[in-house]
Amino acid sequence: MIAETICSAVSAAGLGIAAITAYRKRFLAATRIAAYSLVPLGLVLTGAVEWAVDTAFSFTAWIGFGLLGGAWLLLLATRAVERRSGTTRKERKAAKAAQREAVAPAASAPSLGAGARPTARPAAKPKGSAATDDFSDIEAILKKHGI
């Protein structure tokens, strides 16, 4: 009963402040203040205040809040352990993607990664004409890709 009286008084005071603000030609602010001041009265009329008071003094409700808090702490603890171990979702997804990309889909032989197979270096050739230099670059690229 006291909570309903307090909410009604807060609403009446808010509406009074809204009227003073509207008298000062600040209609947008007055409308906003009136809207906020009607919220406590609306909560009283819907019965939400009575429900909140009954819940606040209920032992069963506090056990429920305790269980919710415990569940929240368990979730936080698992997140902390996950971060500390370094196995986040992003890392697991990256590992799966790297495992799938171990063999290129269009390759005739599996790619074993960099450094697994020694690459042949093109032999140093004496400087010749510009045309032979262009072809030697192309040959080096083709040999690098095994063509």
Side-chain angles (χ1 to χ4, degrees):
M1 176 116 175
I2 293 175
E4 288 87 0
T5 306
I6 292 172
C7 288
S8 299
V10 167
S11 291
L15 289 174
I17 293 170
I20 292 169
T21 307
Y23 179 74
R24 293 181 180 168
K25 307 280 187 209
R26 297 182 61 207
F27 297 112
L28 186 62
T31 305
R32 193 174 298 128
I33 293 169
Y36 281 125
S37 66
L38 290 174
V39 170
L41 190 59
L43 289 173
V44 167
L45 293 175
T46 59
V49 173
E50 183 179 344
W51 174 81
V53 169
D54 290 342
T55 303
F57 295 114
S58 169
F59 183 68
T60 308
W62 283 107
I63 290 174
F65 286 133
L67 289 175
L68 287 174
W72 184 70
L73 287 174
L74 286 173
L75 288 172
L76 285 178
T78 57
R79 292 288 295 206
V81 168
E82 185 179 50
R83 285 184 181 162
R84 184 165 283 195
S85 67
T87 57
T88 62
R89 289 183 193 146
K90 289 181 183 178
E91 290 174 351
R92 288 192 299 263
K93 284 184 180 180
K96 282 184 183 179
Q99 189 176 18
R100 269 187 263 132
E101 294 174 0
V103 177
S108 60
S111 60
L112 301 175
R117 179 175 47 157
T119 57
R121 299 276 179 186
K125 296 182 182 178
K127 297 271 182 175
S129 67
T132 57
D133 287 340
D134 289 340
F135 287 120
S136 65
D137 291 341
I138 294 171
E139 287 177 8
I141 292 171
L142 291 174
K143 284 182 183 177
K144 180 180 176 184
H145 289 287
I147 298 175

